[in-house]
Amino acid sequence: MMPAVFLVILCFGVASGAPALDPSLDAEWQEWKIKYGKSYILEEEAQKRAVWEKNMKMIKMHNDEKGLGKHGFTMEMNAFGDMTAKEYRKLMTDIPVPAALTVKNVQKPLASEFPSFVDWREKGYVTPVRNQGNCGSCWAFAATGAIEGQMFWKTGNLTLLSVQNLVDCSKPQGNNGCSNGTAYNAYKYVLDNKGLEAEATYPYEAKEGPCRYHPENSSAYIVDFVSLPANEDYLLIAVANIGPISAAVDASHDSFRFYKGGIYHEPNCSSYSVNHAVLVVGYGSEGNEKDGESYWLIKNSWGDEWGIDGYMKIAKDRNNHCAIASYAAYPDIF
Ligand SMILES: *[C@@H]1O[C@H](CO)[C@@H](O)[C@H](O)[C@H]1NC(C)=O
Ligand SMILES: *[C@@H]1O[C@H](CO)[C@@H](O)[C@H](O)[C@H]1NC(C)=O
Ligand SMILES: *[C@@H]1O[C@H](CO)[C@@H](O)[C@H](O)[C@H]1NC(C)=O
Ligand SMILES: *[C@@H]1O[C@H](CO)[C@@H](O)[C@H](O)[C@H]1NC(C)=O
């Protein structure tokens, strides 16, 4: 690893000389480093600072343009601030396509049958926002989120389920621990395994370990799972009727990484290729009822400082924006 790191720094030095830093940002840089517990070796600091400044300027420019009505959402500096766009995209895992699709009894909806706002948090189906940390386990957070909701519906108890159990144990189903995986394969594991532990007995470590599942400590189960057709109409039926639904999106853009609030819409977002798993917990619209902007409400696993207390409103009914409906799935408990 080390030679590569030195090579990158060397290339930077040769290509552009010492980066010119903006002294007016000194105090903010120090505060940011403290807030996110960052410390760098001397050789690294100037390069990280230069990247951070570039991101700061991009965010400021976006928010200025938002003020002029060019965007529907705001951005904010956060823990990803010292990463280049390329480094950030490397964090995103390519989510493999599910092996098979099972589509059961899903009928095309009549839009008028559904409420105009749904937020499963208000009904007690959703656990607090968590932080996956330095582990590509978004798929496991999405899957536990959907199972937590269905278990709540069945038992009346909202219990935090074990992400670590999925990270460590669902390799035979095709998941790859902290590298990548899908909620679909996670459901397959819970079904095959006939159980899943709670966070309380099998806590999150943000790294891969040996499988330590104990059936005596199983806290949840599923009897089947459903993968929805790639269409926002089906996602609507599911979110309106069933509860939180796992989904995957194209989260590879700077606008996603620094999202703060408003309805997310990224012109460069893919409507078929995904790299991050999330949980859809509702939908609604902003503005006046007739020509308001509608959104899906998604729960992320990047802590509650990101976005709207850990959530994002993402454009709904705009041609499957960021592929939100392409990999939606949910577990069946009964
Ligand atoms: C998923 O992770 C595994 C193990 O690290 C890796 O071999 C594979 O290429 C990854 N797949 C994708 C689609 O990134
Ligand atoms: C909810 O959990 C508590 C504590 O584990 C348990 O005592 C109670 O019976 C559960 N309630 C239901 C409805 O399952
Ligand atoms: C079940 O969980 C409890 C609490 O974490 C732990 O003390 C116990 O050892 C676990 N049982 C097994 C069989 O691992
Ligand atoms: C979209 O992608 C193009 C090409 O990569 C880039 O030049 C442009 O800035 C991007 N637009 C946005 C809004 O990110």
Side-chain angles (χ1 to χ4, degrees), residues 20-284:
L21 301 175
D22 178 352
S24 75
L25 292 171
D26 281 355
E28 237 174 311
W29 169 243
Q30 296 305 334
E31 279 164 26
W32 180 85
K33 283 196 298 177
I34 290 166
K35 179 165 182 189
Y36 295 104
K38 304 274 186 180
S39 61
Y40 308 104
I41 53 167
L42 199 59
E43 292 80 358
E44 198 181 34
E45 172 114 7
Q47 187 257 339
K48 292 287 186 189
R49 165 81 179 258
V51 169
W52 177 86
E53 281 192 12
K54 200 163 160 240
N55 286 329
M56 283 292 278
K57 283 177 183 142
M58 170 182 68
I59 291 164
K60 184 175 182 306
M61 193 206 271
H62 174 96
N63 290 341
D64 289 349
E65 289 175 354
K66 161 88 169 57
L68 301 172
K70 278 180 79 177
H71 309 286
F73 65 98
T74 52
M75 285 162 66
E76 185 185 55
M77 176 47 73
N78 59 26
F80 298 117
D82 59 355
M83 295 176 127
T84 63
K86 203 172 161 194
E87 287 164 345
Y88 169 72
R89 279 198 298 273
K90 265 202 203 152
L91 290 183
M92 300 290 107
T93 52
D94 279 332
I95 299 191
V97 176
L101 293 180
T102 54
V103 180
K104 304 186 319 179
N105 301 330
V106 251
Q107 283 164 358
K108 259 211 152 207
L110 294 166
S112 60
E113 287 175 18
F114 299 101
S116 43
F117 284 87
V118 168
D119 184 345
W120 289 103
R121 293 176 300 183
E122 291 170 358
K123 303 214 156 68
Y125 279 61
V126 185
T127 56
V129 169
R130 302 177 63 193
N131 196 336
Q132 66 188 79
N134 194 20
C135 170
S137 52
C138 55
W139 54 272
F141 282 92
T144 52
I147 303 172
E148 283 161 359
Q150 294 308 295
M151 288 301 294
F152 172 76
W153 175 56
K154 167 137 199 189
T155 66
N157 268 347
L158 185 65
T159 304
L160 209 53
L161 296 177
S162 175
V163 168
Q164 195 64 40
N165 188 170
L166 295 174
V167 167
D168 295 342
C169 307
S170 65
K171 294 205 169 85
Q173 283 74 22
N175 286 331
N176 292 293
C178 286
S179 297
N180 56 60
T182 65
Y184 186 94
N185 289 339
Y187 298 142
K188 206 152 164 265
Y189 164 78
V190 179
L191 192 60
D192 292 350
N193 190 53
K194 302 185 175 65
L196 180 69
E197 287 199 32
E199 174 70 15
T201 61
Y202 200 151
Y204 190 54
E205 295 167 349
K207 60 177 202 269
E208 289 174 47
C211 180
R212 290 153 285 170
Y213 173 76
H214 293 287
E216 310 89 288
N217 273 347
S218 176
S219 172
Y221 65 92
I222 68 175
V223 300
D224 200 357
F225 55 98
V226 176
S227 186
L228 293 168
N231 179 320
E232 289 183 272
D233 291 345
Y234 288 99
L235 185 56
L236 178 71
I237 324 178
V239 176
N241 292 300
I242 289 156
I245 306 292
S246 63
V249 291
D250 174 14
S252 63
H253 305 277
D254 283 338
S255 51
F256 195 102
R257 115 161 110 143
F258 294 120
Y259 169 80
K260 177 57 188 168
I263 298 179
Y264 181 73
H265 184 267
E266 166 55 61
N268 282 352
C269 230
S270 170
S271 54
Y272 53 89
S273 141
V274 299
N275 36 54
H276 187 54
V278 294
L279 186 70
V280 184
V281 303
Y283 59 80

